[in-house]
Amino acid sequence: MNIEKDFVMKNEDIIYFDNAATTFKPISVINKEMEYLTKYTANSHRGDYNISFKVDDEIDESRYLVSKYINSKSKDEIIFTSNTTDSMNLVINGFFGEYLREDDEVILTKSEHASNILPWLVLSKKIGFKIKYAPLDKEGKLSLESIKKTITRNTKAISIAHVTNVIGDIRDIKTITKYAHKKGILVLIDGAQSVPHIKTDVQDLDIDFLAFSAHKMCGPTGLGILYGKYELLKYMKPFKYGGGMNEIYNENTIELDDIPYRFEAGTPNVSAIIAFSETIKYLNKIGIENIERTEKYLKHYLIKELKTIPYIKIYNENSEGSIVLINIDGIESGDLGLYLNTKNICVRSGKHCVKMLEEEAEFKDTVRISLYFYNSYEEIDKLILALKDFDNIKKYVNL
Ligand code: PLP
């Protein structure tokens, strides 16, 4: 393992701390995508010739590796979509759109990403079910107690992130699913920020549905995954109809293909799916425990160094994930982000697609520094140096 060699983007003259948005891809993943594009470009499920058979085999292999990575019972429980957002829309409409009735209730939190709120809001307008937000504590964290207090007889689903993308807190999913299942409540987990960073064993956590994106875990863009328990997927309706998802059809009937293919209408993102197998192999080689540990050390160091700068406000010191939120009093987060850009440091500023959180949190806009295992202490030192240069910051923002 050689981070500089594996990640060619690390050779660019930039310091990348926007890993919650997307991540760099190792060269093995890039090469695999290139191999498909230059040596066996073909569609899947369609051809009667060798390169198309190879494509089908490799897609199958990728599905198998993803299944092993999250420890699902079967690879048929893995559905390829285009991103977390697409996975969430599929399960919320395709499953919960059929399952929920007018009197039902769904629990979310105000800390959820837009893709775990907007599809629910739209569906609730159609069906009439109620959305309830489990209150967060002072640090923006979610407790089982809060969920317990929000649950009523009518609660049918809980839909929350395992790790949130602003505060970066890690929820105790195993305890939550255990409690929810005792009450007959289904649990949908937004894994966009968890699967890339922490061990995710869907059987151990007893998750009913899990959505995540390949591009946030060293995989190609344009590929998402929806995991669902097979017995639940049997009741899910496709959200898209077209080629590759039906057995036969005529004017009166549509016979669907098997699970998971019935949920994958149209030509899939073949190159991304095939290359994602290399991502899984790469992450397996490093080991998720090493990823977790490295990020923990980096974050600890980052917070320790940030604390040496008196005018930096840190909002989420006690969150468990690899995200740190900061601001400087009197300076717009967007301006601070743009100042850091002048030093070739990439961070994200604003609300980070979580626009209801400000109703409960003590902050509105922030600068988000999100780490991944390939970041280094030297990169953090350069960020700290840039933040310590208060005269320059003031000059940049016309203070
Ligand atoms: N959920 C969370 C918690 C996220 O952080 C993100 C992206 O930042 C998403 C969902 C949406 O992911 P995508 O844009 O890949 O669909």
Side-chain angles (χ1 to χ4, degrees):
M1 208 71 49
N2 179 333
I3 296 288
E4 306 301 318
K5 250 193 180 162
D6 293 349
F7 292 92
V8 285
M9 278 295 293
K10 296 281 286 186
N11 303 323
E12 295 299 308
D13 187 22
I14 55 166
I15 294 174
Y16 188 74
F17 288 133
D18 195 17
N19 294 289
T22 200
T23 55
F24 294 165
K25 290 91 182 75
I27 192 70
S28 57
V29 174
I30 296 167
N31 284 343
K32 188 72 185 177
E33 205 154 354
M34 192 72 167
E35 188 187 282
Y36 163 75
L37 293 171
T38 54
K39 293 207 163 63
Y40 53 95
T41 296
N43 209 326
S44 57
H45 300 136
R46 308 248 156 82
D48 297 312
Y49 46 90
N50 285 342
I51 56 171
S52 185
F53 301 151
K54 183 171 169 61
V55 163
D56 283 343
D57 287 349
E58 298 220 349
I59 288 179
D60 211 43
E61 151 103 347
S62 194
R63 204 185 298 274
Y64 172 78
L65 289 172
V66 174
S67 161
K68 287 280 145 215
Y69 195 72
I70 60 166
N71 193 30
S72 73
K73 258 191 207 157
S74 146
K75 70 179 168 58
D76 294 339
E77 296 176 315
I78 303 298
I79 300 160
F80 290 125
T81 65
S82 50
N83 46 43
T84 303
T85 307
D86 195 28
S87 299
M88 296 298 280
N89 276 274
L90 168 58
V91 62
I92 292 170
N93 289 285
F95 183 85
F96 290 101
E98 299 298 313
Y99 183 68
L100 296 172
R101 299 285 172 265
E102 193 177 349
D103 293 336
D104 291 339
E105 291 175 4
V106 173
I107 296 180
L108 315 175
T109 77
K110 289 191 176 163
S111 192
E112 303 309 316
H113 187 277
S115 63
N116 187 22
I117 292 198
L118 294 182
W120 287 115
L121 287 177
V122 173
L123 190 64
S124 77
K125 296 253 179 325
K126 206 161 112 189
I127 296 179
F129 62 81
K130 194 169 173 188
I131 294 175
K132 292 177 99 182
Y133 300 92
L136 307 168
D137 70 13
K138 261 197 252 136
E139 291 186 316
K141 292 187 181 183
L142 174 68
S143 65
L144 179 64
E145 282 317 301
S146 166
I147 289 188
K148 278 185 183 173
K149 281 187 196 145
T150 315
I151 286 176
T152 71
R153 260 210 248 112
N154 296 336
T155 308
K156 289 288 178 337
I158 298 173
S159 184
I160 51 172
H162 192 168
V163 178
T164 62
N165 67 303
V166 177
I167 291 166
D169 54 314
I170 302 181
R171 274 89 178 255
D172 182 358
I173 297 303
K174 192 168 174 170
T175 311
I176 292 171
T177 55
K178 196 168 166 199
Y179 186 80
H181 289 156
K182 265 197 226 149
K183 306 249 168 208
I185 299 166
L186 294 173
V187 183
L188 161 58
I189 296 299
D190 172 353
Q193 300 296 341
S194 54
V195 180
H197 300 275
I198 59 173
K199 186 162 187 242
T200 311
D201 179 329
V202 290
Q203 290 191 68
D204 180 50
L205 300 174
D206 203 13
I207 292 169
D208 297 309
F209 295 101
L210 172 76
F212 57 102
S213 295
H215 71 95
K216 292 185 195 286
M217 53 189 289
C218 298
T221 41
L223 175 63
I225 286 89
L226 175 66
Y227 155 80
K229 285 181 181 162
Y230 195 83
E231 61 269 31
L232 295 175
L233 290 180
K234 282 198 250 173
Y235 299 99
M236 188 162 90
K237 284 222 167 123
F239 192 43
K240 294 172 190 161
Y241 288 80
M245 55 79 70
N246 67 79
E247 284 288 357
I248 46 164
Y249 64 90
N250 57 41
E251 276 191 10
N252 304 314
T253 48
I254 305 170
E255 213 172 284
L256 298 177
D257 203 343
D258 293 335
I259 298 167
Y261 311 110
R262 66 176 61 167
F263 305 116
E264 297 176 349
T267 300
N269 191 343
V270 179
S271 59
I273 296 173
I274 286 177
F276 194 43
S277 63
E278 290 301 319
T279 298
I280 303 289
K281 287 179 199 165
Y282 188 84
L283 295 179
N284 280 336
K285 233 191 286 170
I286 300 177
I288 192 71
E289 292 80 11
N290 286 331
I291 291 175
E292 279 183 50
R293 195 173 37 248
T294 305
E295 289 178 25
K296 211 170 253 174
Y297 288 153
L298 286 169
K299 185 184 172 194
H300 181 78
Y301 181 70
L302 171 60
I303 288 188
K304 182 170 82 63
E305 291 301 307
L306 284 170
K307 280 180 153 178
T308 64
I309 312 174
Y311 48 84
I312 295 279
K313 185 163 173 52
I314 308 171
Y315 294 97
N316 63 337
E317 195 182 322
N318 298 318
S319 77
E320 305 82 1
S322 47
I323 287 173
V324 179
L325 296 176
I326 62 164
N327 261 332
I328 296 177
D329 255 354
I331 294 178
E332 293 280 331
S333 64
D335 286 342
L336 187 55
L338 287 171
Y339 160 75
L340 290 172
N341 180 48
T342 65
K343 310 278 177 200
N344 285 347
I345 298 173
C346 310
V347 295
R348 179 70 56 124
S349 56
K351 299 186 200 304
H352 321 292
C353 289
V354 182
K355 296 186 178 162
M356 285 166 80
L357 181 59
E358 63 191 42
E359 294 171 26
E360 283 195 64
E362 57 161 316
F363 55 81
K364 287 196 167 126
D365 296 358
T366 52
V367 169
R368 182 180 72 182
I369 304 155
S370 56
L371 305 164
Y372 210 15
F373 63 88
Y374 49 60
N375 285 127
S376 66
Y377 294 96
E378 292 72 32
E379 288 173 333
I380 292 174
D381 287 340
K382 286 185 183 153
L383 169 72
I384 297 296
L385 208 64
L387 289 172
K388 277 187 170 162
D389 193 352
F390 202 30
D391 287 341
N392 227 335
I393 296 175
K394 281 196 287 193
K395 207 156 82 195
Y396 183 80
V397 302
N398 291 324
L399 251 191

